[in-house]
Amino acid sequence: MAAQLTYSNSTDILSEDGILKLLAKHFPVTHPSLLLGRGDDCAVLSNKTPLAISSDLFLEDVHFRKTYFTPEETGYKALAVNISDLAACGARPLGFSLCLGLPASIDVPWLEKFITGMAELAKKYNIILAGGDLSQCEKLHICITVWGEPVVQGGFLVRGGSMPGDILFVVGRLGLARVGLQVLEEAGRNALNNWPDACAAHLRPEPQIDAGIMLARAGYNARPPALMDISDGIMRDLPRLLGLSGGLRATGQTQGGGLGAEIVLARGQLHPEVIRHALQQGLDPVHEALLGGEDYALLGSCAPDMLPALNAAIPGLTSLGVVTSGGNILCNNELLDNLNSGFDHFMRQA
């Protein structure tokens, strides 16, 4: 890790060497997937299979606030949101790189707690920290790149491939993290008293790695499921799964081909805190659940004959509806004519 970060005139002095020692305390240097780890100009990967790779920024006052995120939660979530992308590909996580921009307000105790939270999740999935960079910044900036390997011959799961008649499903809760964000913004950490599950969903999302791996294995001898993670809400992410965004596959053909969906989402399928919060605001709980971002649940589709086995093997998998050929998306027989109501970094949010 190269760096330009030094602090002085403090009992808790941060320096490049000091930060590297903190990282070494919590993260090993060697790993079966590395020929060369931290300490050189580059890490050298030894993996002989294709790799899935993803990067995410996690920025203070954009993605989180230090006023209600503990240091441990900040480190944990920064890595979790990246690992969720690997879950959506059906990949087994292997390693990550970490780039940190640290403001002068960060001291050694805060940083060690941050690293502890990140290391907790890394140890759970046996992920190696391979390298990164350090710098000084006005606010806390975190950038992580994570990579993983396929669990079956034939590669990774992708968003494309849905067909009319396929069953739509989710693994995880819808809308709960959105409630957590709203109540934490309103009440800070006092919100945990009345909204514990919603706050936990926002502060410490659980990547669905095991479910992603089981879905990849299920597709080995059959048509693979289409899969993605829900980071911006069903109303924005479902059209992406169906190819309504017009993205191109490697073949050059447009994804989806005008696919639509008929969603059936009953209020009783939602977490009680989602229902309670929506009713207190005079809002429709189902609509709020469709808008919810940062759920880091998995959204997918599969052939109908695959669903019973997936239901038996994957806890928390719930049928959501069916893929159609009409090009429209309906929920509970109501047309969702505003498909851009999910989260977008570059649009002003309501």
Side-chain angles (χ1 to χ4, degrees), residues 282-310:
L283 300 171
D284 180 354
V286 171
H287 185 260
E288 290 300 291
L290 295 173
L291 286 175
E294 294 197 45
D295 288 315
Y296 299 108
L298 295 180
L299 170 67
S301 70
C302 68
D305 60 1
M306 186 181 286
L307 185 64
L310 295 182

Tab-separated table of all heavy atoms in Angstrom, residues 282-310:
chain	number	residue	atom	x	y	z
A	282	GLY	N	-48.662	6.988	6.615
A	282	GLY	CA	-49.792	7.059	5.705
A	282	GLY	C	-49.468	6.577	4.308
A	282	GLY	O	-50.055	7.056	3.331
A	283	LEU	N	-48.550	5.617	4.190
A	283	LEU	CA	-48.089	5.131	2.905
A	283	LEU	C	-48.465	3.667	2.710
A	283	LEU	O	-48.800	2.967	3.669
A	283	LEU	CB	-46.562	5.289	2.799
A	283	LEU	CG	-46.030	6.715	2.931
A	283	LEU	CD1	-44.510	6.711	3.038
A	283	LEU	CD2	-46.485	7.579	1.746
A	284	ASP	N	-48.412	3.214	1.472
A	284	ASP	CA	-48.702	1.823	1.134
A	284	ASP	C	-47.459	0.985	1.424
A	284	ASP	O	-46.406	1.197	0.808
A	284	ASP	CB	-49.072	1.742	-0.347
A	284	ASP	CG	-49.399	0.317	-0.806
A	284	ASP	OD1	-49.230	-0.630	0.000
A	284	ASP	OD2	-49.812	0.149	-1.966
A	285	PRO	N	-47.524	0.008	2.349
A	285	PRO	CA	-46.339	-0.786	2.670
A	285	PRO	C	-45.747	-1.519	1.469
A	285	PRO	O	-44.525	-1.616	1.339
A	285	PRO	CB	-46.863	-1.779	3.718
A	285	PRO	CG	-48.041	-1.119	4.323
A	285	PRO	CD	-48.676	-0.341	3.204
A	286	VAL	N	-46.601	-2.032	0.570
A	286	VAL	CA	-46.100	-2.745	-0.598
A	286	VAL	C	-45.317	-1.804	-1.506
A	286	VAL	O	-44.225	-2.129	-1.993
A	286	VAL	CB	-47.244	-3.422	-1.369
A	286	VAL	CG1	-46.749	-3.969	-2.707
A	286	VAL	CG2	-47.850	-4.539	-0.526
A	287	HIS	N	-45.863	-0.608	-1.732
A	287	HIS	CA	-45.176	0.370	-2.574
A	287	HIS	C	-43.837	0.752	-1.959
A	287	HIS	O	-42.817	0.869	-2.654
A	287	HIS	CB	-46.048	1.609	-2.765
A	287	HIS	CG	-45.466	2.601	-3.723
A	287	HIS	ND1	-44.793	3.731	-3.315
A	287	HIS	CD2	-45.456	2.616	-5.084
A	287	HIS	CE1	-44.386	4.412	-4.371
A	287	HIS	NE2	-44.777	3.765	-5.462
A	288	GLU	N	-43.800	0.949	-0.663
A	288	GLU	CA	-42.547	1.303	0.011
A	288	GLU	C	-41.528	0.177	-0.095
A	288	GLU	O	-40.329	0.426	-0.267
A	288	GLU	CB	-42.830	1.634	1.484
A	288	GLU	CG	-43.586	2.934	1.692
A	288	GLU	CD	-42.836	4.126	1.142
A	288	GLU	OE1	-41.783	4.469	1.718
A	288	GLU	OE2	-43.293	4.700	0.126
A	289	ALA	N	-42.002	-1.066	-0.012
A	289	ALA	CA	-41.080	-2.198	-0.138
A	289	ALA	C	-40.491	-2.273	-1.537
A	289	ALA	O	-39.318	-2.616	-1.709
A	289	ALA	CB	-41.803	-3.496	0.201
A	290	LEU	N	-41.280	-1.927	-2.555
A	290	LEU	CA	-40.771	-1.935	-3.924
A	290	LEU	C	-39.743	-0.841	-4.151
A	290	LEU	O	-38.837	-0.986	-4.977
A	290	LEU	CB	-41.930	-1.770	-4.915
A	290	LEU	CG	-42.955	-2.898	-4.966
A	290	LEU	CD1	-44.118	-2.519	-5.859
A	290	LEU	CD2	-42.313	-4.182	-5.464
A	291	LEU	N	-39.868	0.258	-3.440
A	291	LEU	CA	-38.922	1.371	-3.568
A	291	LEU	C	-37.622	1.129	-2.818
A	291	LEU	O	-36.610	1.750	-3.115
A	291	LEU	CB	-39.562	2.664	-3.039
A	291	LEU	CG	-40.629	3.324	-3.891
A	291	LEU	CD1	-41.230	4.507	-3.139
A	291	LEU	CD2	-40.050	3.780	-5.222
A	292	GLY	N	-37.664	0.242	-1.836
A	292	GLY	CA	-36.554	0.114	-0.899
A	292	GLY	C	-35.232	-0.223	-1.556
A	292	GLY	O	-35.120	-1.179	-2.307
A	293	GLY	N	-34.214	0.578	-1.265
A	293	GLY	CA	-32.865	0.309	-1.731
A	293	GLY	C	-31.998	-0.255	-0.622
A	293	GLY	O	-32.389	-0.288	0.539
A	294	GLU	N	-30.814	-0.721	-0.993
A	294	GLU	CA	-29.810	-1.256	-0.072
A	294	GLU	C	-30.290	-2.484	0.696
A	294	GLU	O	-29.812	-2.763	1.792
A	294	GLU	CB	-29.317	-0.177	0.902
A	294	GLU	CG	-28.552	0.947	0.217
A	294	GLU	CD	-27.726	1.770	1.181
A	294	GLU	OE1	-27.041	1.192	2.033
A	294	GLU	OE2	-27.767	2.998	1.066
A	295	ASP	N	-31.247	-3.208	0.124
A	295	ASP	CA	-31.665	-4.454	0.773
A	295	ASP	C	-30.571	-5.515	0.667
A	295	ASP	O	-30.435	-6.357	1.557
A	295	ASP	CB	-32.943	-4.992	0.126
A	295	ASP	CG	-34.166	-4.172	0.479
A	295	ASP	OD1	-34.326	-3.831	1.667
A	295	ASP	OD2	-34.959	-3.874	-0.425
A	296	TYR	N	-29.820	-5.489	-0.434
A	296	TYR	CA	-28.797	-6.511	-0.711
A	296	TYR	C	-29.374	-7.921	-0.595
A	296	TYR	O	-28.692	-8.861	-0.229
A	296	TYR	CB	-27.561	-6.300	0.170
A	296	TYR	CG	-26.952	-4.945	-0.109
A	296	TYR	CD1	-27.051	-3.908	0.808
A	296	TYR	CD2	-26.344	-4.688	-1.334
A	296	TYR	CE1	-26.538	-2.650	0.517
A	296	TYR	CE2	-25.833	-3.432	-1.622
A	296	TYR	CZ	-25.932	-2.425	-0.693
A	296	TYR	OH	-25.425	-1.184	-0.991
A	297	ALA	N	-30.674	-8.003	-0.900
A	297	ALA	CA	-31.303	-9.295	-1.145
A	297	ALA	C	-30.951	-9.711	-2.566
A	297	ALA	O	-30.401	-8.923	-3.349
A	297	ALA	CB	-32.808	-9.185	-0.967
A	298	LEU	N	-31.263	-10.954	-2.922
A	298	LEU	CA	-31.060	-11.424	-4.280
A	298	LEU	C	-32.399	-11.465	-5.002
A	298	LEU	O	-33.406	-11.910	-4.453
A	298	LEU	CB	-30.436	-12.822	-4.280
A	298	LEU	CG	-29.027	-12.932	-3.700
A	298	LEU	CD1	-28.543	-14.381	-3.765
A	298	LEU	CD2	-28.051	-12.009	-4.417
A	299	LEU	N	-32.393	-10.998	-6.223
A	299	LEU	CA	-33.558	-11.022	-7.097
A	299	LEU	C	-33.216	-11.888	-8.297
A	299	LEU	O	-32.160	-11.709	-8.919
A	299	LEU	CB	-33.902	-9.600	-7.557
A	299	LEU	CG	-34.944	-9.457	-8.664
A	299	LEU	CD1	-36.321	-9.904	-8.177
A	299	LEU	CD2	-34.995	-8.004	-9.154
A	300	GLY	N	-34.087	-12.845	-8.612
A	300	GLY	CA	-33.767	-13.729	-9.730
A	300	GLY	C	-34.998	-14.303	-10.390
A	300	GLY	O	-36.136	-14.052	-9.991
A	301	SER	N	-34.736	-15.082	-11.422
A	301	SER	CA	-35.803	-15.832	-12.091
A	301	SER	C	-35.263	-17.206	-12.429
A	301	SER	O	-34.057	-17.398	-12.630
A	301	SER	CB	-36.268	-15.113	-13.363
A	301	SER	OG	-35.273	-15.164	-14.375
A	302	CYS	N	-36.160	-18.173	-12.501
A	302	CYS	CA	-35.761	-19.546	-12.819
A	302	CYS	C	-36.903	-20.247	-13.531
A	302	CYS	O	-38.057	-19.803	-13.493
A	302	CYS	CB	-35.377	-20.318	-11.553
A	302	CYS	SG	-36.767	-20.633	-10.440
A	303	ALA	N	-36.571	-21.359	-14.189
A	303	ALA	CA	-37.602	-22.191	-14.798
A	303	ALA	C	-38.544	-22.716	-13.723
A	303	ALA	O	-38.108	-23.008	-12.602
A	303	ALA	CB	-36.954	-23.357	-15.550
A	304	PRO	N	-39.843	-22.827	-14.007
A	304	PRO	CA	-40.806	-23.257	-12.981
A	304	PRO	C	-40.457	-24.582	-12.321
A	304	PRO	O	-40.665	-24.752	-11.117
A	304	PRO	CB	-42.124	-23.342	-13.746
A	304	PRO	CG	-41.968	-22.397	-14.892
A	304	PRO	CD	-40.517	-22.476	-15.280
A	305	ASP	N	-39.892	-25.526	-13.075
A	305	ASP	CA	-39.611	-26.833	-12.485
A	305	ASP	C	-38.408	-26.816	-11.543
A	305	ASP	O	-38.154	-27.778	-10.833
A	305	ASP	CB	-39.426	-27.890	-13.569
A	305	ASP	CG	-38.268	-27.573	-14.522
A	305	ASP	OD1	-37.586	-26.548	-14.341
A	305	ASP	OD2	-38.059	-28.358	-15.477
A	306	MET	N	-37.667	-25.725	-11.532
A	306	MET	CA	-36.531	-25.599	-10.630
A	306	MET	C	-36.952	-25.080	-9.251
A	306	MET	O	-36.254	-25.275	-8.252
A	306	MET	CB	-35.477	-24.661	-11.233
A	306	MET	CG	-34.183	-24.568	-10.450
A	306	MET	SD	-32.980	-23.413	-11.198
A	306	MET	CE	-32.447	-24.413	-12.598
A	307	LEU	N	-38.105	-24.422	-9.175
A	307	LEU	CA	-38.492	-23.725	-7.953
A	307	LEU	C	-38.639	-24.624	-6.734
A	307	LEU	O	-38.157	-24.265	-5.647
A	307	LEU	CB	-39.788	-22.941	-8.181
A	307	LEU	CG	-40.245	-22.073	-7.007
A	307	LEU	CD1	-39.235	-20.960	-6.732
A	307	LEU	CD2	-41.619	-21.477	-7.295
A	308	PRO	N	-39.275	-25.805	-6.804
A	308	PRO	CA	-39.411	-26.624	-5.590
A	308	PRO	C	-38.074	-26.965	-4.950
A	308	PRO	O	-37.933	-26.916	-3.721
A	308	PRO	CB	-40.142	-27.874	-6.098
A	308	PRO	CG	-40.899	-27.418	-7.296
A	308	PRO	CD	-40.011	-26.410	-7.950
A	309	ALA	N	-37.071	-27.313	-5.757
A	309	ALA	CA	-35.766	-27.655	-5.199
A	309	ALA	C	-35.105	-26.438	-4.567
A	309	ALA	O	-34.464	-26.543	-3.515
A	309	ALA	CB	-34.871	-28.239	-6.295
A	310	LEU	N	-35.268	-25.270	-5.186
A	310	LEU	CA	-34.673	-24.054	-4.623
A	310	LEU	C	-35.353	-23.696	-3.306
A	310	LEU	O	-34.685	-23.270	-2.350
A	310	LEU	CB	-34.799	-22.901	-5.619
A	310	LEU	CG	-34.029	-23.051	-6.932
A	310	LEU	CD1	-34.216	-21.806	-7.795
A	310	LEU	CD2	-32.559	-23.318	-6.685
